[in-house]
Amino acid sequence: MIWGAVAYLVTTLGTLLTDYLTRLHISPLLGSVLATAVGLVLVVVGVLIDAAKEGEAQGAPATAGYPQPYYEPYRPYQSGKRGGDAQTYQGGTYLPATRPARRSAASVAGVLALVLLFCGGGGFAIAYGAQSLGQRAIGWLDEQAKPGWEKKTEDPGRERLARAASRTEGALSVTVTSVRVNTEVTMVTITAKNSGTDSLNLPVFNNAQLGAAGASTLDADPAAGSFSGTVAAKGQATGTIVFDGAIPAGTTRATLSFAHVQGSLKGPDSISVDIALTAS
């Protein structure tokens, strides 16, 4: 009963420790390793408890639980019946007590080594493999759930702007600071400044366009860009406008235009910026 209580106490403490470790802010892999280590400690303690139990059993009397010598009672000789002289004693066979084989230190060490090898190494490999597989699965799901406008801008593209270009119309000034082109889109970064007293709005949807000589005009995708279009009075706004389609290699001139500028009766009504590009 004492050893049973000890085993129960050790198991309970191990469970509490594992639960505490899994609540810490650690990576899933480290949590699995710690849980495996606690499990190994419980296994080792269990082996030691079993060894202690067997040690107590070895201290019991050698003949306990084994047959005792057998003595046949005295039977006198009876005439007319076959048989020899009366035998007053028939010795029983004494069975020597056999003790269970005692576990050597080498055997216990071997068991512990196997436990560490298969439980520890196997648990770590399983935890690592599960984490790696889980990360790949999550990455794949994230990629499938990613919207199209985000996918087409993952490739930063190649910078094609030869030099910064700027245009001012009334209180509004628009400066192009970057033109990056990948295989799907052209990304134009601009800074719009408003020196007037009225807030101005440069809509992107169905309003911003990018034209190039010898190529079709590209329309903007408002969901893919970061330019809000609103320029506060005496303020400025910076962002990127994403145009569906790539400016062809060899094109050295392009024009960014906003067909309508809204927000002030003082104008301007529209604005366009001529841009110098590198050939590739």
Side-chain angles (χ1 to χ4, degrees):
M1 292 180 62
I2 294 177
W3 287 119
V6 171
Y8 176 78
L9 178 61
V10 171
T11 303
T12 303
L13 291 177
T15 302
L16 294 175
L17 180 59
T18 302
D19 182 68
Y20 171 75
L21 293 175
T22 54
R23 294 175 183 271
L24 298 179
H25 297 288
I26 56 179
S27 66
L29 177 59
L30 182 57
S32 300
V33 172
L34 292 176
T36 302
V38 174
L40 290 176
V41 172
L42 293 179
V43 170
V44 172
V45 173
V47 171
L48 295 178
I49 290 176
D50 290 340
K53 290 180 180 178
E54 293 179 0
E56 287 188 352
Q58 292 170 2
T63 60
Y66 294 94
Q68 303 299 317
Y70 170 72
Y71 300 93
E72 184 175 302
Y74 172 76
R75 293 184 301 175
Y77 173 79
Q78 299 179 10
S79 63
K81 293 186 178 181
R82 298 180 61 183
D85 295 337
Q87 297 178 355
T88 60
Y89 167 76
Q90 179 180 351
T93 301
Y94 181 79
L95 299 176
T98 58
R99 297 184 179 181
R102 180 176 298 179
R103 292 185 179 179
S104 64
S107 64
V108 174
V111 171
L112 296 181
L114 290 176
V115 170
L116 290 175
L117 176 62
F118 291 103
C119 295
F124 179 81
I126 292 173
Y128 181 81
Q131 185 190 35
S132 178
L133 182 61
Q135 288 177 343
R136 292 183 180 181
I138 293 175
W140 183 83
L141 292 175
D142 288 343
E143 186 66 23
Q144 298 304 312
K146 190 177 297 182
W149 56 262
E150 185 175 344
K151 291 182 180 179
K152 62 187 179 183
T153 58
E154 286 181 333
D155 180 2
R158 184 181 180 86
E159 182 62 60
R160 293 281 303 276
L161 184 66
R163 56 183 176 275
S166 182
R167 178 72 177 271
T168 299
E169 292 287 349
L172 178 63
S173 176
V174 176
T175 302
V176 177
T177 57
S178 175
V179 177
R180 291 177 290 113
V181 183
N182 63 23
T183 57
E184 297 186 57
V185 296
T186 300
M187 296 163 279
V188 181
T189 301
I190 67 172
T191 296
K193 295 182 180 181
N194 180 11
S195 61
T197 56
D198 297 324
S199 177
L200 299 177
N201 187 31
L202 285 72
V204 174
F205 181 68
N206 283 341
N207 189 55
Q209 293 183 328
L210 184 65
S216 59
T217 301
L218 306 180
D219 293 322
D221 181 356
S226 60
F227 183 69
S228 65
T230 301
V231 188
K234 304 296 183 179
Q236 67 178 37
T238 299
T240 299
I241 303 173
V242 178
F243 294 91
D244 287 320
I247 294 180
T251 302
T252 58
R253 306 293 302 181
T255 301
L256 169 67
S257 62
F258 291 91
H260 303 284
V261 177
Q262 303 170 349
S264 177
L265 297 176
K266 301 177 182 178
D269 296 328
S270 62
I271 192 171
S272 61
V273 182
D274 293 328
I275 307 169
L277 303 174
T278 59
S280 60

